[in-house]
Amino acid sequence: MDKLLTRITRINEAIAAIILAVIFITFILQVFMRYAAKMVWLMPFPPIADWMTDLEPLRWSVYLISLLWVWLIFFSCAFIVRDKDHVVFDILFNAIPVGGRKILGILGAIIMIVFMTYSLLPTYEALWESRLMNLKKLQTLRVPFTGDKIAMKWLFFPYIMLMLAVIVRYGWALFNTIKSGPLKDAHEKLDQDLGTKAGDR
């Protein structure tokens, strides 16, 4: 189980790294295309200079960067960022006895599961089945194979993934809290086990 979780984490990190690399390359390309005509003097070779003069800014690059940035944030929060990586104010939580922390951990996990589950269907309908989200398109960004404009709903689709991931993660946290103790202790144990397994490899 630990090896499987470690592999899944590594795959998710690789996906996030690829998305970030595409964002960076697109940004550099965007800057180059925008200022190429003004940098012709750096290339005193007629073929290259003529080519750089004819270049025009890439309008679609801004939309691609925006789309990928939203995807990167929600994907990373859903599958990479651990609970202990978030900023938390846990002074009171750590000050109470273990039994109290266990109760708070169980209540916190149940609240997250209930609220996310309760809002999942309305959020899905608002983003995915909304006529407005289907009609509204990203203006200059198109599907590579079909040439169709991309519907706005795809910009927010990773939020649905985040909600599902939160439900699963807190379901697992609820199970661990009931079985192994306070939520923090269960997470620290899981992170320690994963770190040990990764170090052994």
Side-chain angles (χ1 to χ4, degrees):
M1 184 64 178
D2 292 339
K3 288 184 178 180
L4 177 62
L5 290 174
T6 302
R7 287 182 180 178
I8 292 174
T9 301
R10 296 293 179 264
I11 292 172
N12 292 334
E13 289 174 350
I15 293 173
I18 290 171
I19 294 174
L20 189 60
V22 172
I23 291 174
F24 178 74
I25 293 170
T26 304
F27 175 75
I28 296 299
L29 183 62
Q30 177 192 48
V31 172
F32 174 76
M33 296 291 283
R34 179 175 297 177
Y35 296 104
K38 297 180 181 180
M39 297 187 297
V40 172
W41 60 274
L42 293 173
M43 293 291 178
F45 307 104
I48 299 178
D50 294 340
W51 171 71
M52 291 177 64
T53 304
D54 294 336
L55 294 178
E56 296 181 358
L58 302 174
R59 294 186 301 165
W60 55 264
S61 59
V62 176
Y63 290 94
L64 179 61
I65 290 173
S66 301
L67 177 67
L68 292 178
W69 183 249
V70 173
W71 272 73
L72 178 63
I73 291 172
F74 285 118
F75 179 85
S76 299
C77 287
F79 300 112
I80 298 175
V81 178
R82 298 166 297 182
D83 287 340
K84 73 173 191 176
D85 294 331
H86 291 284
V87 176
V88 294
F89 298 96
D90 56 359
I91 297 175
L92 295 177
F93 181 82
N94 292 330
I96 62 178
V98 175
R101 280 190 285 163
K102 183 173 183 178
I103 293 173
L104 288 179
I106 291 172
L107 289 177
I110 291 174
I111 289 172
M112 289 298 296
I113 293 169
V114 169
F115 274 96
M116 280 295 178
T117 303
Y118 178 76
S119 60
L120 179 61
L121 183 58
T123 304
Y124 175 82
E125 291 176 350
L127 295 180
W128 205 250
E129 296 182 358
S130 169
R131 186 169 179 269
L132 177 62
M133 284 293 180
N134 281 315
L135 292 176
K136 197 170 182 180
K137 311 286 185 181
L138 298 175
Q139 293 304 311
T140 58
L141 199 59
R142 297 176 180 272
V143 179
F145 301 105
T146 63
D148 298 332
K149 290 183 179 179
I150 297 176
M152 187 64 72
K153 64 182 182 181
W154 285 103
L155 177 62
F156 301 102
F157 177 72
Y159 182 66
I160 303 295
M161 292 193 306
L162 174 63
M163 296 181 74
L164 291 171
V166 168
I167 293 171
V168 173
R169 287 175 66 174
Y170 276 92
W172 181 251
L174 178 61
F175 172 78
N176 275 336
T177 303
I178 294 172
K179 179 182 177 182
S180 306
L183 189 64
K184 180 181 177 184
D185 294 345
H187 286 164
E188 285 180 345
K189 182 178 184 303
L190 181 61
D191 291 339
Q192 184 179 4
D193 292 343
L194 289 176
T196 302
K197 293 294 183 181
D200 293 341
R201 295 195 328 153

